[in-house]
Amino acid sequence: MTRTLCLSSCLLLLLLSLSCPARAEPRRVTSSQRRAARAPAAKVRLAGNFARDPNEGRVEVLHNNTWGTVCDDEVDIKLANVVCRELGFQGGITWAHSAKYGEGEGPIWMDNVRCDGSEKSLKDCKHNGFGVNDCKHSEDLGVVCSERRLDQTTTRVQTNAIRPNVSPAPQWQGLTSSRRHSGYSNYGNGHQYEAPRLQRPHQVNSKVQIEEVRLRPILMATKRKTLVTEGAVEVKHAGRWRQVCDLGWSLNSSRVVCGMLGFPEAVQHNVRTYKLSVMAKKKGFWVEKVHCLGNENTLSECHAQLSIPRSTTPCKNGRHAVVKCVPGPQFARISSGRPQAPYRVVPVRLKAGPRLGEGRVEVLRDGKWGTIVDHMWERTAASVVCRELGFGTAKEALHGAFMGQGTGPIHMNSVQCMGTESSILDCSFQEVQPWTFKHSQDASVRCNVPKTGIENTVRLAGGRVPLEGRVEVLMEVGGRKRWGAVCSENWSINEAMVVCRQLGLGFAASAHQETWYWSGDPNAADVILSGTHCVGTELSIQQCRRNNHVHCPRGGGSKAAGVTCSDTAPDLVLDAQLVQETAYLEDRPLHLLTCANEENCLSSSAARMNWPYGHRRLLRFSSRIMNLGRSDFRPKATRESWTWHQCHRHYHSIEVFTHYDLLTLNGTRVAEGHKASFCLEDTYCPDGLQKRFSCYNMGDQGISVGCWDTYRHDIDCQWVDVTDVRPGDYIFQVEVNPSMDMAESDFMNNVMRCRCKYDGHRAYMYGCHAGDAYSAETEDLFEHQRQITNNFV
């Protein structure tokens, strides 16, 4: 027993002596060893599913002893700086979205991360909370850090907080640049793998970041055109435009370029017409061997190889890549100068967008327009929509009803496209059951649109801010182009909308017929455009109908036309279902209609009656007007100019707010009424929204965003006088803001229509819907058939 204990003690002493360093022999610990010792405690690392440099990769954080990823929502350069400094680098150069370094595994720990740049660790930044997100791994965030470390001891780093890379593949080289922060320098070796000591090859599927591209017209015929649709491809790098070699170039690559430039398709150019031998001698090539599938949103998503620097034979045996684009139908006249055939009707449209090529996406199914749920909505599907509408690829796929909420049915959910479809309806999607989603999830899009130059033919002068001023146009007068003013005679919100959209300034908030408070250019004081009448869909004010010879009784100068533009606007929509459910007839004695008669709410035959004896037959109903836009709806008139009505003891802020009409099936008006805006207020606001407008004690009038104003069926003038109407089938129509005195993002949904059957004793309303909710064919059936299904708001 004693011998056994002795042996155990000896073995223990031997193990301790081997595992512990002697105190008398201290070692010098290098900085790299200190870093290695600290590395296991790291809370953030860079990872990747393919070969990459050690100072770039997918961001992963350690939480609850589990590594997880970070979502790319709301990311900026400040976050990249925090991550890179935490890893020991001097700072961040850029970030990469949409899982550029491959999709991670495990949880997505952080979403909506907001850093101010001073944090010591990524975990100190604000975010939704660990594990709280609405992302997928296709949205994993990556960053690119500077090559130099904080201690500036080496430019090539290794850290245990960074995963080792997989085997390299030398065929392709990549360049990463910041798309949103162009002021930061680019990162990447940028050239073909030649010197292993200085450079490291990337993976086969790395991509060259190209975010800006243009066509340089070569042929004289293309140089004369306002809209450039054909020419040599040039990409911008380091502040300079550089050429692209046509080695490996295909029509698929041309399609991607055209999409970036706002064109839906590309066609093969005539190679024989291009004599590029002189151009080929220039040493400006930067990218070669570009290979696209044709469904990419930008050239950055295509495979590409960078040209060898200072090569004596750049683009060997190749020439400049030449692209020929096909403009959309709305731009075809600008391109060719010839009148075009009517546009092809497509089952998709954009609504309530402040600029050309922007808006809420609505699709036509079964004769009804409806919206798309933003679940899984991304740029590939958005690009299919943009191309279908005659634009290029999508710049952004927007979520959360960013362009305002729609009405009517919700047609599609979880839309997934390959990018080659001709219509969004050809993509895979899930059907939407009624009431399962809300319009607060409507999908929107911003498309690439061609640079037509029309924004340079109009300007605003004298305004306090760039969004307002006197309108001045550039037009040909007497054989030469000159700037001049626009006559304000009949100048309305429609014309102002066209001007603001032409300038890229959004919606028109106001159309001014007097501009004495804005001093215009003295050289542009003469009126050169008069009689302007716009539908509202024109691309420029010059495309609107106008006088052949200038005639302006008001004169120019202080009475010239002006506009105030805004990025947002209200959007009033009438609840069609409530009208349908609350309609009824009432025979009301004349002695109770004195005030209503003073406000002209009865038919003209009422004046011939023996007052106060007798009665009038009224078709009564309730109406609820909702503001689904992105700014408050306010009366045009200021409070000082509101009119006091003694009879009802209230102020009128708008002379006529709604029109109520009863029409025959061929559109003839048989009964009418109007509703003066005696009070615009927030009758109801959903949870989370505060009522801000009230009529009490001459308060501010208006309708807040997301709220609605309700007019009950039992108040004066909330009717149509049908005393003189014969029994039969009719169309009941309500129009909000009929004179369009106040700006809205969409005037097409201001009209609501119902089929109405009146048998002389009762009235039935059915098929109530917003004016633009049906296709033209279905609307025609609505007017001539007895029944059509309801369209709920």
Side-chain angles (χ1 to χ4, degrees):
M1 181 68 180
T2 304
R3 185 181 300 173
T4 305
L5 288 173
C6 183
L7 286 172
S8 300
S9 300
C10 292
L11 287 172
L12 181 60
L13 289 170
L14 179 62
L15 289 172
L16 287 171
S17 64
L18 291 173
S19 60
C20 298
R23 291 180 182 270
E25 298 177 5
R27 291 187 299 163
R28 289 180 61 91
V29 181
T30 64
S31 61
S32 61
Q33 288 171 328
R34 283 196 298 268
R35 285 196 302 271
R38 289 196 304 264
K43 302 298 184 183
V44 64
R45 69 184 181 186
L46 301 183
N49 298 352
F50 41 71
R52 58 190 172 77
D53 282 327
N55 55 328
E56 62 176 331
R58 180 177 62 250
V59 179
E60 295 190 350
V61 294
L62 184 65
H63 180 69
N64 286 344
N65 294 321
T66 304
W67 288 100
T69 61
V70 178
C71 188
D72 60 12
D73 291 347
E74 298 189 21
V75 173
D76 59 18
I77 194 65
K78 295 177 183 177
L79 183 148
N81 283 327
V82 172
V83 170
C84 293
R85 285 199 301 270
E86 186 175 0
L87 289 170
F89 300 101
Q90 287 190 343
I93 292 176
T94 186
W95 72 94
H97 57 85
S98 304
K100 292 294 185 182
Y101 293 96
E103 296 185 7
E105 297 178 352
I108 300 175
W109 280 133
M110 303 175 75
D111 186 19
N112 295 325
V113 185
R114 296 171 295 280
C115 305
D116 61 21
S118 63
E119 296 86 350
K120 299 293 184 183
S121 170
L122 179 62
K123 289 189 175 183
D124 296 334
C125 298
K126 296 178 181 178
H127 57 93
N128 291 351
F130 286 102
V132 180
N133 68 84
D134 57 355
C135 303
K136 295 180 177 293
H137 279 297
S138 59
E139 300 171 75
D140 283 347
L141 171 69
V143 297
V144 179
C145 303
S146 63
E147 292 186 304
R148 296 182 63 84
R149 296 191 63 85
L150 288 171
D151 53 18
Q152 299 184 353
T153 57
T154 179
T155 58
R156 305 304 272 176
V157 296
Q158 297 292 337
T159 172
N160 290 345
I162 305 176
R163 286 185 184 174
N165 293 309
V166 298
S167 57
Q171 290 91 332
W172 302 92
Q173 305 301 313
L175 174 73
T176 308
S177 65
S178 172
R179 176 172 50 160
R180 301 179 191 173
H181 297 266
S182 57
Y184 291 92
S185 59
N186 294 325
Y187 164 76
N189 50 36
H191 303 294
Q192 194 170 7
Y193 176 69
E194 291 182 321
R197 183 172 57 86
L198 297 175
Q199 302 179 17
R200 217 163 57 74
H202 282 200
Q203 76 289 357
V204 172
N205 39 340
S206 82
K207 301 176 177 72
V208 176
Q209 287 288 331
I210 302 170
E211 297 298 341
E212 198 168 354
V213 65
R214 72 179 183 186
L215 297 182
R216 183 156 64 91
I218 305 300
L219 303 180
M220 190 57 65
T222 59
K223 288 182 178 180
R224 296 195 191 102
K225 292 184 178 179
T226 304
L227 187 64
V228 177
T229 59
E230 182 178 352
V233 182
E234 293 185 341
V235 294
K236 199 170 190 179
H237 171 61
R240 291 177 54 193
W241 288 98
R242 302 167 187 259
Q243 289 77 40
V244 177
C245 179
D246 68 353
L247 293 178
W249 192 269
S250 68
L251 194 59
N252 284 339
S253 302
S254 296
R255 185 174 190 262
V256 175
V257 169
C258 291
M260 294 177 69
L261 295 172
F263 302 109
E265 294 297 338
V267 294
Q268 185 61 49
H269 66 282
N270 189 346
V271 181
R272 295 181 180 179
T273 59
Y274 284 86
K275 297 179 180 179
L276 300 177
S277 57
V278 176
M279 292 179 58
K281 295 178 182 178
K282 297 183 178 181
K283 305 295 190 297
F285 288 103
W286 182 61
V287 183
E288 57 185 72
K289 296 186 180 177
V290 178
H291 176 69
C292 301
L293 299 176
N295 59 355
E296 296 88 350
N297 297 303
T298 68
L299 279 181
S300 303
E301 300 174 19
C302 303
H303 297 296
Q305 178 176 312
L306 299 178
S307 299
I308 302 173
R310 295 178 295 277
S311 172
T312 56
T313 57
C315 191
K316 189 175 182 181
N317 300 323
R319 293 182 174 182
H320 289 70
V322 175
V323 166
K324 184 176 182 180
C325 301
V326 179
Q330 62 270 56
F331 306 104
R333 183 168 187 173
I334 300 176
S335 174
S336 65
R338 297 187 299 273
Q340 300 297 311
Y343 300 164
R344 179 175 64 92
V345 178
V346 294
V348 64
R349 67 186 183 186
L350 300 182
K351 300 287 285 184
R355 296 169 185 83
L356 184 65
E358 299 180 0
R360 180 180 61 252
V361 181
E362 296 188 355
V363 293
L364 184 65
R365 297 187 67 202
D366 300 325
K368 296 181 183 179
W369 290 100
T371 59
I372 297 177
V373 180
D374 61 9
H375 179 243
M376 300 179 69
W377 180 250
E378 42 80 36
R379 282 180 69 186
T380 302
S383 291
V384 173
V385 169
C386 292
R387 290 186 190 274
E388 188 175 4
L389 290 168
F391 303 112
T393 48
K395 286 191 289 189
E396 292 181 88
L398 303 166
H399 300 73
F402 190 85
M403 299 289 181
Q405 297 186 29
T407 60
I410 300 174
H411 281 324
M412 304 169 75
N413 181 30
S414 301
V415 180
Q416 293 287 280
C417 303
M418 297 294 294
T420 57
E421 297 86 353
S422 59
S423 172
I424 189 68
L425 295 178
D426 296 334
C427 300
S428 65
F429 63 91
Q430 294 179 2
E431 299 283 349
V432 178
Q433 299 302 318
W435 318 116
T436 54
F437 290 98
K438 296 181 179 179
H439 282 292
S440 59
Q441 297 172 266
D442 287 343
S444 304
V445 69
R446 283 195 179 109
C447 303
N448 287 313
V449 297
K451 294 181 179 179
T452 59
I454 58 174
E455 70 278 4
N456 300 321
T457 60
V458 65
R459 66 190 183 193
L460 303 183
R464 297 161 297 178
V465 294
L467 293 174
E468 66 180 18
R470 184 179 297 176
V471 178
E472 296 177 352
V473 294
L474 181 64
M475 298 184 66
E476 189 170 301
V477 179
R480 66 182 184 89
K481 289 189 175 181
R482 56 169 294 193
W483 288 94
V486 179
C487 182
S488 62
E489 194 84 22
N490 299 320
W491 183 257
S492 69
I493 201 71
N494 261 356
E495 290 73 40
M497 284 282 188
V498 173
V499 168
C500 290
R501 187 169 57 245
Q502 182 178 354
L503 288 167
L505 298 178
F507 303 108
S510 303
H512 303 276
Q513 293 189 349
E514 290 190 6
T515 54
W516 53 267
Y517 36 81
W518 291 329
S519 58
D521 188 336
N523 297 323
D526 295 338
V527 174
I528 62 173
L529 181 62
S530 67
T532 311
H533 177 75
C534 302
V535 176
T537 58
E538 296 86 351
L539 298 180
S540 69
I541 191 69
Q542 288 87 348
Q543 291 181 356
C544 297
R545 194 175 67 198
R546 62 179 187 269
N547 293 339
N548 290 329
H549 302 285
V550 177
H551 174 69
C552 187
R554 290 174 58 88
S558 63
K559 294 186 180 298
V563 298
T564 300
C565 304
S566 173
D567 199 50
T568 60
D571 184 19
L572 299 185
V573 181
L574 191 71
D575 187 341
Q577 187 64 20
L578 184 64
V579 173
Q580 180 170 301
E581 292 173 351
T582 58
Y584 66 97
L585 291 177
E586 179 192 8
D587 291 334
R588 191 165 182 82
L590 285 181
H591 71 272
L592 299 178
L593 295 172
T594 305
C595 285
N597 190 48
E598 290 182 10
E599 295 189 14
N600 298 317
C601 294
L602 301 175
S603 297
S604 57
S605 63
R608 298 189 294 271
M609 296 188 68
N610 185 23
W611 286 78
Y613 307 105
H615 68 272
R616 303 293 294 181
R617 175 158 290 182
L618 308 175
L619 175 58
R620 309 196 70 146
F621 56 92
S622 296
S623 64
R624 182 163 58 207
I625 299 167
M626 299 173 287
N627 181 5
L628 299 181
R630 297 170 60 202
S631 65
D632 299 336
F633 182 86
R634 301 296 304 275
K636 182 179 180 181
T638 59
R639 187 184 309 188
E640 294 76 18
S641 59
W642 292 353
T643 305
W644 173 259
H645 279 242
Q646 183 64 30
C647 184
H648 282 141
R649 308 284 298 176
H650 57 241
Y651 284 93
H652 284 202
S653 59
I654 303 176
E655 184 178 352
V656 176
F657 183 46
T658 55
H659 278 169
Y660 303 148
D661 296 311
L662 195 66
L663 313 172
T664 63
L665 297 185
N666 64 7
T668 304
R669 183 182 290 112
V670 294
E672 62 182 302
H674 81 276
K675 181 65 187 174
S677 173
F678 65 85
C679 177
L680 278 179
E681 67 176 2
D682 295 329
T683 306
Y684 174 81
C685 293
D687 291 341
L689 297 178
Q690 187 74 28
K691 293 182 180 180
R692 296 191 295 110
F693 297 110
S694 175
C695 303
Y696 178 73
N697 198 22
M698 199 184 176
D700 279 345
Q701 294 194 20
I703 307 176
S704 300
V705 175
C707 302
W708 57 69
D709 189 5
T710 302
Y711 298 91
R712 287 175 50 87
H713 57 82
D714 53 0
I715 64 175
D716 269 359
C717 297
Q718 190 59 33
W719 62 60
V720 172
D721 186 352
V722 295
T723 306
D724 306 320
V725 176
R726 296 179 180 180
D729 289 325
Y730 298 95
I731 292 176
F732 176 64
Q733 179 172 291
V734 179
E735 185 173 6
V736 182
N737 191 15
S739 57
M740 294 189 292
D741 286 330
M742 285 69 62
E744 295 186 52
S745 60
D746 184 8
F747 290 111
M748 298 299 294
N749 57 10
N750 283 22
V751 178
M752 187 231 53
R753 310 180 82 203
C754 302
R755 283 292 298 270
C756 177
K757 182 171 180 61
Y758 173 49
D759 63 5
H761 305 283
R762 291 170 295 179
Y764 304 93
M765 294 274 197
Y766 58 92
C768 296
H769 64 282
D772 65 342
Y774 294 160
S775 66
E777 295 79 5
T778 307
E779 190 67 35
D780 185 64
L781 291 174
F782 166 82
E783 294 178 356
H784 297 93
Q785 289 186 355
R786 288 184 173 272
Q787 184 65 48
I788 197 165
T789 56
N790 294 341
N791 186 23
F792 298 106
V793 172

